[in-house]
Amino acid sequence: MLAAGLLFACAMLAACNPEQSALHPAGQDAAELANLFWFMTAGGALVWCIIMGSAIYAVLGRKRPRSERFADRFVFIGGVAFPTIGLAALLVFGLALLPNWAEADTPDLQVQVVAEQFWWRLGYEAADGSQVATANEIHLPVGATAEFVLTSTDVIHSFWIPSLGGKMDAIPGRTNVLRLTPTKPGVYRGVCAEFCGPSHALMAFPVVVHEADAYAEWLETQRQPATAGNGEAFIAAGCGACHVVRGISEAGSVGPDLTHFASRRTIGAGTMLLTPANLADWLVAPSHIKPGSRMPSFATLPDAERQAIVDFLLELK
Ligand code: CUA
């Protein structure tokens, strides 16, 4: 039974996706949280073993009379001293891990995050000080402290990248701040961690942690206007009413900025991988793929026009 339980636990842990696992830390805060988890788990396991051992001894052990003094001492040590010292030690360990941002240095970069049903509006500051709008995919330089400035336009969401650290709510009318310092380059997965409506579970985002040079290159590319050629079909179908493609159509801002859409890994905020077939499906039935999505269906467009939009979007590198 115990062996089966252990085997099951190992299988569960092995199945955990390291891209989105608080137990595969790739950031300073995540490493501290993982340490806290293992320390608390070990502490809890030790206490459990001592109590179960005592219980088993009480039931199966040799019955012989004990002095009253022994009984008093046993109750005092086991019932008062041990829990007080044990819990105090765990509390002190936990409190020491609380972040102290008031005294921390200024962050290396700031990312504006607006959570919306059901996607992430993102803003970066470019090297020249200009604001760069993007969406649904976060890029960070390794070893730098990023400050996420979080808010929401509709309901409460929560911003969580388990591999990098703890979560923070995005609340309408309020601004919350979360700092994270990635320590390992790689691709991770962030999620919305507060139930926010029918597509709460489809409100994710890839997180790409680069070396500093590659990050600067990415940011510079994002700053540039779109380089794709023909946006005719996109504009004719009215996509520009909701989406900005800088340099081509800059009026609408209801939906995600698509200026460098084809550089992203997913569509629908982590819902599907960005492939030509998935993109075509998305244009036909967005609210079927992602319930509650405000993106209208373009199923009634002639196939050729829809394909022209897909081709245009895939050029937006
Ligand atoms: Cu947004 Cu859950």
Side-chain angles (χ1 to χ4, degrees), residues 213-249:
D213 292 355
Y215 169 76
E217 208 171 287
W218 170 82
L219 186 55
E220 179 51 26
T221 307
Q222 298 292 312
R223 192 181 68 85
Q224 306 288 339
T227 48
N230 191 350
E232 233 167 71
F234 178 87
I235 291 165
C239 307
C242 295
H243 296 283
V244 167
V245 176
R246 267 175 285 129
I248 290 174
S249 170

Side-chain angles (χ1 to χ4, degrees), residues 98-107 145 147 177-179:
L98 284 181
N100 188 358
W101 293 337
E103 283 177 17
D105 302 334
T106 46
T145 298
E147 182 172 82
V177 166
L178 175 71
R179 285 187 184 176

Side-chain angles (χ1 to χ4, degrees), residues 133-149:
T134 172
N136 297 332
E137 185 168 297
I138 285 181
H139 290 249
L140 299 171
V142 70
T145 298
E147 182 172 82
F148 296 91
V149 182

Side-chain angles (χ1 to χ4, degrees), residues 175-312:
T175 301
N176 284 342
V177 166
L178 175 71
R179 285 187 184 176
L180 297 172
T181 310
T183 50
K184 251 189 252 172
V187 180
Y188 308 101
R189 188 167 185 272
V191 290
C192 178
E194 178 78 47
F195 181 72
C196 55
S199 279
H200 157 67
L202 298 174
M203 189 171 166
F205 52 95
V207 180
V208 186
V209 176
H210 302 270
E211 297 293 349
D213 292 355
Y215 169 76
E217 208 171 287
W218 170 82
L219 186 55
E220 179 51 26
T221 307
Q222 298 292 312
R223 192 181 68 85
Q224 306 288 339
T227 48
N230 191 350
E232 233 167 71
F234 178 87
I235 291 165
C239 307
C242 295
H243 296 283
V244 167
V245 176
R246 267 175 285 129
I248 290 174
S249 170
E250 312 206 359
S253 62
V254 178
D257 184 297
L258 300 179
T259 308
H260 296 282
F261 172 75
S263 74
R264 297 176 199 155
R265 287 158 173 73
T266 66
I267 20 179
T271 301
M272 298 189 292
L273 285 178
L274 174 53
T275 65
N278 282 348
L279 182 54
D281 289 347
W282 176 255
L283 292 184
V284 169
S287 59
H288 175 75
I289 295 168
K290 187 163 176 170
S293 162
R294 299 213 193 129
M295 164 97 178
S297 163
F298 287 85
T300 52
L301 276 189
D303 287 352
E305 283 177 35
R306 210 169 42 244
Q307 191 53 46
I309 298 176
V310 169
D311 292 343
F312 166 70

